[in-house]
Amino acid sequence: MIKEISIKTSKDYFDSLRNRNLIVYYFGEQIDEPIDHPIIRPSVNAVAKTYDLAIENPEIASVISPFTNKRINRFLHIAQSPEDVVMQNKMQRRLGQLTGTCFQRCVGMDALNSLFSVTYEMDEKYNGSYHKKFKEFVVMVQNGGFVIGGAMTDVKGDRSLAPHQQNDPDLYVHISKRTNKGVYISGAKAHQTGCLNSHWMIVMRTIRLGEKDIDYAIVGAIPTDAKGITYIYGRQSCDTRSLDEGDIDVGNAQYAGQEAMVIFDNVFIPNERIFMNGEYDFAAMLVERFTCYHRRSYVCKSGVGDVLIGAAAAAAEYNGVEKASHIKDKLTEMTHLNETIYATGIASSYQSHETASGAYICDDMLANVCKHHVTKFTYEIGRLAHDIAGGLVATLPSQKDFDHPKIGILLKKYLKGRKEIPTENRVRILRLIENMTLGRNAVGYLTESMHGAGSPQAQRIQIAREMQVEFKKALAIELSGIKNNNSEKLTNKITDYFARVFSPPES
Ligand SMILES: Cc1cc2nc3c(=O)[nH]c(=O)nc-3n(C[C@H](O)[C@H](O)[C@H](O)COP(=O)(O)OP(=O)(O)OC[C@H]3O[C@@H](n4cnc5c(N)ncnc54)[C@H](O)[C@@H]3O)c2cc1C
């Protein structure tokens, strides 16, 4: 069970992960202490960096909680102003730069913020007590300094069917039993980022629900070591390189992401930790609020992109081609794409507005545009990194060959680039590019960019919903001189999005 602790430093954090008796499977075996597993450890280090940054740079990664008046990690803060939302993005970019991977805490931050406003509005409609209970949960995790996982994505079975229509009811997490003390849930969540590295998991809904899905309308917080949970660790490309003796072939020996499948077999959620129970009409609002925050959280990839651009620039320099105009142009293009990701995310945050609960939320249109860029631009940045790196990024011999007394000498001779650069430096940079685009951290930089917070079509649907094409048509009709009485009325119909575009920034 969760201990009564207050985690402040990375050491506190490492200690907090021990002796939890999680049931974790990896390579067909049960693992005793995940934190000590050499493949898992780099993902723990990435989360630990979020604690280090809060100490090294409190301005960026910590904040005073309005509920406790104590300094807390920014990942646990409920945004009280547009500035708070903007600062989340700045922290995310910095952590991307420092780790070169997914540091796993954004999903929890975005779950906390979205549920804060959704529970408030649910209570307004149904006169319930979810918001009070949720606030108590927030205060508890802020005091404890805990890591929160956001468990949204169900395994989903046949995507064309609603949860209640599935052949097997467990393909979406649902209530399996109700008692007067709480509910039991069964089912599975896929791709759960940082779940073993979290202390609490907030189970949420994946999609909008209808009346017949009422047993699926359950949201609640569960300690990650609760009885009935089994974790099956996801394989990442080249993950076993973390078992290698040396630290070169792995590319980034310190940091990695983490994803696992989480299976719930009648897991208990007590009443005080239930934040939705049957209000299926609020499932869509929760999904939309969560994805609104989470899609602009993908500015983290611009921090990771900074590392990849730096690696490509170093590779060019070590090859002696850094002055070539096409190389400079490719680095400029990578930077343009990377800053476009950041620009749309941070703009979404600057255009935050207050919800009825008092928490601030970013602009949905720009959040979706940000995430949609991320689904493409990271791949293009990776492609350009491969172009600049040359074929060695995928054909280098192993560190053992470089260390071999006979062939090592040959490799160092024949894989020399610029004379003043040791061959090992060249190899290390190429391995880092490989790690970020083909290896362990490509999961975070590429696949997560594609599917995390929803696959590309999910953003296009949201952009299409909010694009106000009738308003735009009316603007054109009016200016073109076409006589149309209706268009004049429509041109003045400023929507939420444009209202934010035209109003002065909130402070
Ligand atoms: C690295 C990584 C980390 C992640 N971390 C988390 C996490 O921490 N927490 C969490 O909850 N989730 C997480 N996710 C899950 C992520 O949100 C999902 O991957 C995403 O929502 C897509 O779901 P899926 O993977 O099941 O793909 P699918 O839903 O199978 O999508 C595959 C394709 O099918 C299309 N499709 C799906 N359904 C339909 C339909 N009904 N009609 C038409 N087309 C459809 C999609 O648009 C897409 O093109 C993570 C994913 C990744 C890859």
Side-chain angles (χ1 to χ4, degrees):
M1 292 305 289
I2 302 276
K3 300 164 210 155
E4 291 280 325
I5 43 173
S6 180
I7 306 166
K8 298 246 164 7
T9 64
S10 47
K11 181 183 177 304
D12 297 340
Y13 172 61
F14 291 131
D15 292 346
S16 74
L17 296 185
R18 295 192 180 284
N19 304 314
R20 292 188 299 161
N21 299 320
L22 302 177
I23 299 179
V24 184
Y25 284 86
Y26 196 19
F27 289 110
E29 282 176 12
Q30 201 175 329
I31 294 171
D32 282 342
E33 200 60 278
I35 179 177
D36 293 328
H37 194 291
I39 296 183
I40 297 176
R41 182 59 182 233
S43 75
V44 186
N45 294 343
V47 180
K49 199 69 194 161
T50 68
Y51 289 94
D52 291 339
L53 188 66
I55 292 169
E56 289 156 14
N57 194 340
E59 274 300 298
I60 205 168
S62 75
V63 62
I64 303 290
S65 164
F67 310 137
T68 64
N69 286 323
K70 289 187 216 151
R71 190 162 280 280
I72 55 164
N73 195 292
R74 194 176 287 285
F75 282 105
L76 298 170
H77 181 52
I78 304 296
Q80 303 293 304
S81 64
E83 191 195 334
D84 276 347
V85 190
V86 166
M87 288 309 293
Q88 294 176 341
N89 278 164
K90 295 191 180 213
M91 168 178 72
Q92 288 162 326
R93 184 158 189 176
R94 185 68 185 129
L95 282 164
Q97 291 177 340
L98 294 172
T99 60
T101 188
C102 171
F103 37 86
Q104 307 150 46
R105 286 189 80 174
C106 304
V107 68
M109 177 177 79
D110 298 335
L112 288 179
N113 276 275
S114 48
L115 263 173
F116 193 85
S117 65
V118 172
T119 51
Y120 185 92
E121 286 170 50
M122 254 195 308
D123 288 352
E124 272 190 334
K125 180 168 176 191
Y126 292 114
N127 201 18
S129 59
Y130 291 127
H131 187 68
K132 181 174 168 290
K133 287 192 288 180
F134 187 67
K135 209 165 153 185
E136 284 163 6
F137 174 73
V138 171
V139 167
M140 184 274 292
V141 296
Q142 287 183 346
N143 284 334
F146 294 123
V147 175
I148 315 293
M152 183 160 254
T153 310
D154 291 277
V155 287
K156 297 187 292 193
D158 182 337
R159 270 76 173 145
S160 68
L161 301 176
H164 75 274
Q165 294 171 324
Q166 299 288 334
N167 191 33
D168 178 346
D170 291 343
L171 294 175
Y172 281 82
V173 170
H174 62 99
I175 296 174
S176 46
K177 194 165 83 180
R178 290 185 165 86
T179 70
N180 56 9
K181 293 203 168 122
V183 300
Y184 290 80
I185 60 166
S186 288
K189 295 281 184 185
H191 329 285
Q192 293 306 298
T193 293
C195 52
L196 306 179
N197 298 340
S198 303
H199 304 95
W200 287 88
M201 188 190 314
I202 299 181
V203 176
M204 296 182 284
R205 306 319 325 150
T206 306
I207 51 169
R208 64 177 58 238
L209 301 173
E211 201 175 342
K212 289 187 179 153
D213 299 315
I214 196 155
D215 285 346
Y216 295 86
I218 178 74
V219 172
I222 306 173
T224 44
D225 59 355
K227 189 164 167 267
I229 300 182
T230 302
Y231 297 90
I232 307 174
Y233 208 86
R235 284 217 68 175
Q236 294 171 328
S237 166
C238 308
D239 50 5
T240 47
R241 294 220 191 160
S242 295
L243 302 174
D244 289 356
E245 259 170 42
D247 68 344
I248 295 183
D249 292 355
V250 70
N252 180 347
Q254 286 187 73
Y255 300 115
Q258 172 186 97
E259 303 80 29
M261 172 171 284
V262 185
I263 298 177
F264 303 89
D265 178 12
N266 286 302
V267 176
F268 182 61
I269 316 181
N271 287 328
E272 63 272 23
R273 300 280 184 245
I274 294 177
F275 311 126
M276 179 189 286
N277 186 356
E279 293 81 1
Y280 60 85
D281 49 332
F282 276 86
M285 181 191 276
L286 178 57
V287 174
E288 278 168 24
R289 294 258 166 105
F290 171 78
T291 53
C292 179
Y293 284 112
H294 205 43
R295 287 179 185 164
R296 60 86 234 198
S297 276
Y298 274 74
V299 299
C300 64
K301 303 305 176 207
S302 65
V304 181
D306 289 330
V307 179
L308 190 53
I309 294 166
E317 195 183 310
Y318 297 172
N319 280 349
V321 295
E322 79 278 16
K323 293 205 175 76
S325 64
H326 81 99
I327 297 288
K328 283 196 221 154
D329 190 50
K330 279 167 186 155
L331 291 171
T332 306
E333 175 65 6
M334 291 164 88
T335 304
H336 163 69
L337 296 170
N338 202 43
E339 296 301 335
T340 303
I341 292 169
Y342 185 68
T344 43
I346 198 96
S348 167
S349 295
Y350 271 110
Q351 298 223 137
S352 289
H353 58 281
E354 195 173 5
T355 60
S357 67
Y360 274 73
I361 188 164
C362 52
D363 182 82
D364 195 46
M365 168 65 95
L366 293 177
N368 277 282
V369 171
C370 171
K371 174 69 214 318
H372 206 54
H373 282 330
V374 172
T375 65
K376 304 174 189 178
F377 293 174
T378 52
Y379 285 85
E380 180 60 11
I381 293 169
R383 188 184 77 81
L384 290 166
H386 280 201
D387 178 346
I388 293 173
L392 275 179
V393 75
T395 65
L396 274 174
S398 72
Q399 183 175 354
K400 279 195 170 155
D401 292 318
F402 279 94
D403 291 342
H404 190 275
K406 193 167 155 200
I407 55 171
I409 296 163
L410 295 174
L411 287 175
K412 281 172 198 148
K413 169 183 160 72
Y414 286 112
L415 292 179
K416 185 91 183 154
R418 234 198 174 107
K419 72 171 176 348
E420 62 276 20
I421 305 293
T423 305
E424 183 184 315
N425 295 11
R426 190 168 176 233
V427 171
R428 280 186 182 273
I429 282 292
L430 291 170
R431 286 291 183 209
L432 179 64
I433 295 173
E434 182 194 33
N435 166 277
M436 297 176 78
T437 54
L438 300 164
R440 289 199 76 172
N441 287 326
V443 177
Y445 189 59
L446 299 179
T447 324
E448 191 183 358
S449 291
M450 177 70 82
H451 289 293
S455 312
Q457 185 60 14
Q459 291 106 60
R460 293 187 90 84
I461 290 170
Q462 202 63 10
I463 291 169
R465 253 189 219 149
E466 296 178 26
M467 72 182 171
Q468 295 292 315
V469 82
E470 289 308 317
F471 168 69
K472 289 170 185 170
K473 257 165 65 185
L475 292 173
I477 288 168
E478 197 59 22
L479 278 178
S480 71
I482 297 172
K483 296 283 169 261
N484 180 329
N485 292 338
N486 213 13
S487 68
E488 202 182 336
K489 273 184 256 152
L490 270 175
T491 54
N492 291 321
K493 210 173 153 212
I494 303 293
T495 60
D496 282 359
Y497 172 64
F498 284 111
R500 284 196 277 283
V501 169
F502 299 135
S503 58
E506 289 190 48
S507 56

